[in-house]
Amino acid sequence: MNYEVVIGLEVHVQLKTKTKSFCGCSTEFGSEPNSQVCPVCLGFPGSLPVLNRSFLDYAVKVALALNCKVQEYTKFDRKNYFYPDLPKDYQISQYDLPLSREGFLDIEIDGRHKRIGITRVHMEEDAGKLIHQQGVSLVDYNRTGMPLLEIVSEPEISSPLEAYEYLNNLKSIIKYLDVSDCDMEKGSLRCDANVSIRKIGEKALGTKAELKNMNSFKAVKDALSYEIERQAQVLDSGGKVVQETLLWDEKQMKTFSMRSKEGAKDYRYFPEPDLPPFIISADRIGEIKKNIPELPQEKKMRFMKEYGLSEVYAQILTCDKEDAGYAEECFKAFADKDKKPVANWLIGALSAIASSHNRGISEEKLSPENLIDLIVLVEKKQIISNLVGKSVLEEMVNTGKSAEAIIGEKNLAQISDSSFLENLADEVIKENARSVQDYKSGKANAIMFLVGQLMKKSKGKANPKLAQEILKRRLENV
Amino acid sequence: MSISKETVDYVANLARIQLNEQELERLSRQLQGILDFIDKLREIDISDIAPTSHILEIKNILRDDTPGESLPAEKALANAPSKNGRFFTVPKVIE
């Protein structure tokens, strides 16, 4: 049977403030266990939380970038539950008056555009880290009280691929704002997914499952695909989907029901009496808005318009802010109006080299001017072939030398000297009588073999286009 | 508002408290008394009053994002009922 898929994502993003949400403890990653803790984040009696100004500012920035309405009046609430990673036995979070609501994020799949609603973006504090060992759990409270944003989407995502794109775009936007690393491996971005299916045309939502423990965007996609298939099989066989929390097992590529000692969820939210309310003025919102840079979506549109790029190319080049900045410098340094050759080199050869180094293109030590010099030598002056160009590029990246220097040192310049090439062509024609005959009898492909032979004789340095022209001309006289 | 023994049992469970039959009985009665007293507040007309989450007229109390001192581990862990090196330890919470 065919089903319609309904997915909602709940993303937690850790903000890179210098200090925690409500105390002055450092937020640095990877420190000794329990070295960044104090009476406030350990929940010692008598300690009082005070909100970090940067936390609020970063949160407003993200909310605005996600097109949310920032609420004028916002407050914190206590979410009560017992777990060893939560020393106060409550998490400071936001309940009925969150920082912001009603935003959206646009995604694009195969040229099809879709707008996904964002229910709310609110502030809360992170919990500690548990390390489970034989018979005992170790607790590290360094992460306790770190500033988190919870970003909740509307259940408007209709496929695992849409979920994947939503996450990619969300990460891209937040990284542009420079307020989080959004690194899933380090845990600075975490994602839970709610997924249910229903018969096409049905109005009521199906019973949902909550998926947890996905450690990459790909894992989110895989877990959703698996879970949708599982639910479809349950329904097809006349069964009922049970509402439960499932953990994704990356190795086995399966979801498992979470065995937990927690009872039913009843968080008994109430207003946090230790923190006063916060009034965010229109002026303050205006100031923060002014500091929001051009975001990926706008930059993509502008790249398409100003540099004549296709949407796919513009999307790839604007995904990362630094890479986009690098690409733009390259476009500006290239005199022609048509920037396609530059985009091809950036997305093709340079991206391949950079990703083999696990870096972005902007992180390679290659100035935009040097790259453009190389592109001009290959594409316009045809001093070297595309293939030789790629190896020159690799050497440029490794040594920081200019293209011309490398071509000079290694004597790589293409031979475009007609009389020299004519001599080579005559030799090739003499030595390959059979192919010459093939060509003469109408096998057009035979010319490529002959060009290949000529290239070999020139040690790869003959200008291939010219070589072919000369060969054709000489063959007419045979 | 009336409070049943089941409700008291449920709340006790949320608070990780175990109550025997007599305690349940006694606490249900006592809680009922407290709630009856609070019910008196319902007699006041509050239709013109906005909900209050904070009683003080203060707002926007913020601090700068400047790191301060944290506790040394031995101090942070000083009162821990059980520890292992720099970690607090608890009975294993997942299977």
PDB file of all heavy atoms in Angstrom, chain A residues 341-353:
ATOM      1  N   PRO A 341      33.697  28.717 -16.472  1.00  0.00           N
ATOM      2  CA  PRO A 341      34.963  27.975 -16.342  1.00  0.00           C
ATOM      3  C   PRO A 341      35.500  28.020 -14.907  1.00  0.00           C
ATOM      4  O   PRO A 341      36.031  27.028 -14.408  1.00  0.00           O
ATOM      5  CB  PRO A 341      35.917  28.708 -17.295  1.00  0.00           C
ATOM      6  CG  PRO A 341      35.035  29.444 -18.243  1.00  0.00           C
ATOM      7  CD  PRO A 341      33.775  29.762 -17.501  1.00  0.00           C
ATOM      8  N   VAL A 342      35.343  29.168 -14.258  1.00  0.00           N
ATOM      9  CA  VAL A 342      35.845  29.302 -12.888  1.00  0.00           C
ATOM     10  C   VAL A 342      35.051  28.375 -11.962  1.00  0.00           C
ATOM     11  O   VAL A 342      35.621  27.638 -11.154  1.00  0.00           O
ATOM     12  CB  VAL A 342      35.735  30.767 -12.409  1.00  0.00           C
ATOM     13  CG1 VAL A 342      36.230  30.889 -10.969  1.00  0.00           C
ATOM     14  CG2 VAL A 342      36.501  31.685 -13.335  1.00  0.00           C
ATOM     15  N   ALA A 343      33.718  28.395 -12.115  1.00  0.00           N
ATOM     16  CA  ALA A 343      32.866  27.534 -11.280  1.00  0.00           C
ATOM     17  C   ALA A 343      33.252  26.069 -11.481  1.00  0.00           C
ATOM     18  O   ALA A 343      33.322  25.297 -10.521  1.00  0.00           O
ATOM     19  CB  ALA A 343      31.394  27.763 -11.616  1.00  0.00           C
ATOM     20  N   ASN A 344      33.526  25.691 -12.740  1.00  0.00           N
ATOM     21  CA  ASN A 344      33.922  24.311 -13.022  1.00  0.00           C
ATOM     22  C   ASN A 344      35.202  23.915 -12.285  1.00  0.00           C
ATOM     23  O   ASN A 344      35.297  22.830 -11.733  1.00  0.00           O
ATOM     24  CB  ASN A 344      34.138  24.116 -14.522  1.00  0.00           C
ATOM     25  CG  ASN A 344      32.814  23.937 -15.252  1.00  0.00           C
ATOM     26  OD1 ASN A 344      31.840  23.457 -14.662  1.00  0.00           O
ATOM     27  ND2 ASN A 344      32.767  24.355 -16.501  1.00  0.00           N
ATOM     28  N   TRP A 345      36.185  24.811 -12.298  1.00  0.00           N
ATOM     29  CA  TRP A 345      37.448  24.507 -11.601  1.00  0.00           C
ATOM     30  C   TRP A 345      37.253  24.446 -10.088  1.00  0.00           C
ATOM     31  O   TRP A 345      37.835  23.610  -9.413  1.00  0.00           O
ATOM     32  CB  TRP A 345      38.523  25.546 -11.962  1.00  0.00           C
ATOM     33  CG  TRP A 345      39.199  25.206 -13.249  1.00  0.00           C
ATOM     34  CD1 TRP A 345      38.776  25.545 -14.496  1.00  0.00           C
ATOM     35  CD2 TRP A 345      40.372  24.415 -13.418  1.00  0.00           C
ATOM     36  NE1 TRP A 345      39.627  25.028 -15.440  1.00  0.00           N
ATOM     37  CE2 TRP A 345      40.623  24.328 -14.804  1.00  0.00           C
ATOM     38  CE3 TRP A 345      41.255  23.783 -12.544  1.00  0.00           C
ATOM     39  CZ2 TRP A 345      41.706  23.628 -15.334  1.00  0.00           C
ATOM     40  CZ3 TRP A 345      42.349  23.087 -13.067  1.00  0.00           C
ATOM     41  CH2 TRP A 345      42.553  23.006 -14.452  1.00  0.00           C
ATOM     42  N   LEU A 346      36.415  25.342  -9.566  1.00  0.00           N
ATOM     43  CA  LEU A 346      36.182  25.361  -8.117  1.00  0.00           C
ATOM     44  C   LEU A 346      35.480  24.088  -7.659  1.00  0.00           C
ATOM     45  O   LEU A 346      35.875  23.450  -6.690  1.00  0.00           O
ATOM     46  CB  LEU A 346      35.329  26.575  -7.735  1.00  0.00           C
ATOM     47  CG  LEU A 346      36.007  27.942  -7.854  1.00  0.00           C
ATOM     48  CD1 LEU A 346      34.968  29.062  -7.680  1.00  0.00           C
ATOM     49  CD2 LEU A 346      37.112  28.095  -6.822  1.00  0.00           C
ATOM     50  N   ILE A 347      34.421  23.724  -8.392  1.00  0.00           N
ATOM     51  CA  ILE A 347      33.605  22.587  -7.969  1.00  0.00           C
ATOM     52  C   ILE A 347      34.257  21.265  -8.349  1.00  0.00           C
ATOM     53  O   ILE A 347      34.114  20.266  -7.652  1.00  0.00           O
ATOM     54  CB  ILE A 347      32.183  22.708  -8.567  1.00  0.00           C
ATOM     55  CG1 ILE A 347      31.466  23.871  -7.903  1.00  0.00           C
ATOM     56  CG2 ILE A 347      31.385  21.418  -8.413  1.00  0.00           C
ATOM     57  CD1 ILE A 347      30.142  24.238  -8.530  1.00  0.00           C
ATOM     58  N   GLY A 348      35.029  21.287  -9.463  1.00  0.00           N
ATOM     59  CA  GLY A 348      35.678  20.059  -9.911  1.00  0.00           C
ATOM     60  C   GLY A 348      37.027  19.854  -9.243  1.00  0.00           C
ATOM     61  O   GLY A 348      37.115  19.374  -8.107  1.00  0.00           O
ATOM     62  N   ALA A 349      38.085  20.279  -9.945  1.00  0.00           N
ATOM     63  CA  ALA A 349      39.450  19.953  -9.519  1.00  0.00           C
ATOM     64  C   ALA A 349      39.781  20.443  -8.112  1.00  0.00           C
ATOM     65  O   ALA A 349      40.315  19.689  -7.297  1.00  0.00           O
ATOM     66  CB  ALA A 349      40.439  20.543 -10.524  1.00  0.00           C
ATOM     67  N   LEU A 350      39.448  21.710  -7.816  1.00  0.00           N
ATOM     68  CA  LEU A 350      39.872  22.247  -6.519  1.00  0.00           C
ATOM     69  C   LEU A 350      39.113  21.578  -5.370  1.00  0.00           C
ATOM     70  O   LEU A 350      39.703  21.248  -4.340  1.00  0.00           O
ATOM     71  CB  LEU A 350      39.696  23.774  -6.478  1.00  0.00           C
ATOM     72  CG  LEU A 350      40.230  24.439  -5.207  1.00  0.00           C
ATOM     73  CD1 LEU A 350      41.705  24.132  -4.987  1.00  0.00           C
ATOM     74  CD2 LEU A 350      40.006  25.941  -5.223  1.00  0.00           C
ATOM     75  N   SER A 351      37.806  21.366  -5.548  1.00  0.00           N
ATOM     76  CA  SER A 351      37.026  20.705  -4.488  1.00  0.00           C
ATOM     77  C   SER A 351      37.544  19.300  -4.226  1.00  0.00           C
ATOM     78  O   SER A 351      37.591  18.848  -3.084  1.00  0.00           O
ATOM     79  CB  SER A 351      35.546  20.627  -4.866  1.00  0.00           C
ATOM     80  OG  SER A 351      34.971  21.889  -4.803  1.00  0.00           O
ATOM     81  N   ALA A 352      37.949  18.614  -5.308  1.00  0.00           N
ATOM     82  CA  ALA A 352      38.459  17.243  -5.151  1.00  0.00           C
ATOM     83  C   ALA A 352      39.720  17.252  -4.299  1.00  0.00           C
ATOM     84  O   ALA A 352      39.869  16.442  -3.387  1.00  0.00           O
ATOM     85  CB  ALA A 352      38.736  16.632  -6.527  1.00  0.00           C
ATOM     86  N   ILE A 353      40.630  18.192  -4.594  1.00  0.00           N
ATOM     87  CA  ILE A 353      41.873  18.275  -3.821  1.00  0.00           C
ATOM     88  C   ILE A 353      41.561  18.628  -2.366  1.00  0.00           C
ATOM     89  O   ILE A 353      42.045  17.997  -1.431  1.00  0.00           O
ATOM     90  CB  ILE A 353      42.825  19.338  -4.432  1.00  0.00           C
ATOM     91  CG1 ILE A 353      43.300  18.879  -5.823  1.00  0.00           C
ATOM     92  CG2 ILE A 353      44.011  19.591  -3.504  1.00  0.00           C
ATOM     93  CD1 ILE A 353      44.062  19.943  -6.587  1.00  0.00           C
TER      94      ILE A 353
END
